[in-house]
Amino acid sequence: MQTLFRNPLAGPYVLGLSSGASLGVAMVILGAAFLPSFLAEILLSSYGIVLASSLGSFLVLMAVLAVSHRLRDTMAILIVGLMFGSLTSAIVGTLTYFSTAEQLQKFTFWSLGNLGNLSWSSIGILAVCVTIGLLLSLLSIKPLNALLLGENYARSLGLNYTKTRIIIIFATSILAGSITAYAGPIAFIGLAVPHIAKLVFQTSNHTVLFWSTILFGAMIMLICDSISQMPEVILPCQSMR
């Protein structure tokens, strides 16, 4: 996203993708009461949640890209992404108003973000989605390196810009949607880790950044998750004293 939009602030959360994924999950969890019971049961399954999350992320990204054809200023595009994020948040707020306490509790726990409490079937679905997203990202490494020199220069090198952008769109939607569906809308990792990888390796080569971002993202996420669980360990120990 940062290379495609040529902006260091671009990311799933800033562009509204995480908000779109949250809206998809909210429509499933909070809007299930307005659907027939058999349809609600299907949508509340692991497949339904990840599909709704990916679809919400994809639709927001398509809307942002549609606006980007009119606006050449990347900062304006980011502002549009934030506007879409605010719009989806307003829709989620409206859904919460008409939801039951049980639905609100379930959605609130999901929105806090969590790396645990996943069944093996959910982990299997997430693994498949992430693998597909990463394979599409691998196909985009050389085109992304060409885009570092500018869109016009990349076209002169024979890059099919439209095809490349579609691949990046699908990769981002699948990755952001599936991970948000199961881990929640944890925003700071996607924005910070690519910059950390660039600072450590002093390169913009996407071949290096691809693997280093995966490694640093997993490490930092696990460290943050461990720190967040420390109160659960410390407080019981203090109460025992």
Side-chain angles (χ1 to χ4, degrees):
M1 289 293 94
Q2 292 171 4
T3 302
L4 180 65
F5 286 95
R6 302 184 63 80
N7 193 302
L9 293 177
Y13 184 79
V14 178
L15 291 174
L17 302 187
S18 297
S19 298
S22 299
L23 176 60
V25 175
M27 294 287 288
V28 171
I29 296 177
L30 303 179
F34 303 100
L35 300 174
S37 58
F38 72 94
L39 184 59
E41 185 177 351
I42 295 173
L43 291 176
L44 287 173
S45 66
S46 299
Y47 298 97
I49 290 177
V50 72
L51 178 62
S53 180
S54 299
L55 183 60
S57 175
F58 175 76
L59 291 176
V60 170
L61 182 56
M62 290 299 295
V64 172
L65 285 174
V67 174
S68 69
H69 282 292
R70 301 276 183 171
L71 302 174
R72 292 299 177 182
D73 186 4
T74 53
M75 289 303 295
I77 295 172
L78 292 181
I79 292 172
V80 170
L82 291 173
M83 290 173 62
F84 276 113
S86 300
L87 175 62
T88 55
S89 298
I91 297 174
V92 171
T94 304
L95 288 173
T96 58
Y97 180 80
F98 294 101
S99 301
T100 63
E102 183 181 354
Q103 291 172 329
L104 282 175
Q105 185 184 43
K106 186 176 181 180
F107 181 74
T108 301
F109 286 153
W110 173 85
S111 63
L112 293 175
N114 186 15
L115 300 186
N117 300 325
L118 288 181
S119 63
W120 284 109
S121 61
S122 299
I123 293 174
I125 297 170
L126 179 60
V128 171
C129 293
V130 170
T131 300
I132 294 172
L134 292 180
L135 288 175
L136 291 174
S137 301
L138 274 173
L139 294 175
S140 305
I141 287 179
K142 287 185 178 180
L144 285 171
N145 284 334
L147 285 173
L148 290 173
L149 303 173
E151 180 182 335
N152 293 330
Y153 190 82
R155 290 179 187 272
S156 68
L157 294 175
L159 175 68
N160 188 332
Y161 180 74
T162 303
K163 179 181 177 181
T164 299
R165 186 170 61 181
I166 290 174
I167 292 175
I168 294 173
I169 288 172
F170 276 105
T172 305
S173 300
I174 293 171
L175 287 171
S178 60
I179 293 173
T180 302
Y182 289 115
I186 304 173
F188 67 95
I189 291 293
L191 181 63
V193 170
H195 294 293
I196 294 173
K198 289 179 182 179
L199 290 172
V200 171
F201 291 100
Q202 296 294 311
T203 182
S204 295
N205 186 350
H206 287 82
T207 304
V208 177
L209 293 179
F210 177 81
W211 299 107
S212 59
T213 299
I214 293 174
L215 178 62
F216 288 162
M219 291 171 57
I220 294 174
M221 193 69 253
L222 288 173
I223 291 171
C224 293
D225 183 63
S226 299
I227 293 173
S228 68
Q229 294 187 35
M230 287 179 64
E232 298 181 6
V233 178
I234 295 173
L235 291 177
C237 293
Q238 290 179 345
S239 62
M240 288 175 65
R241 294 178 184 175

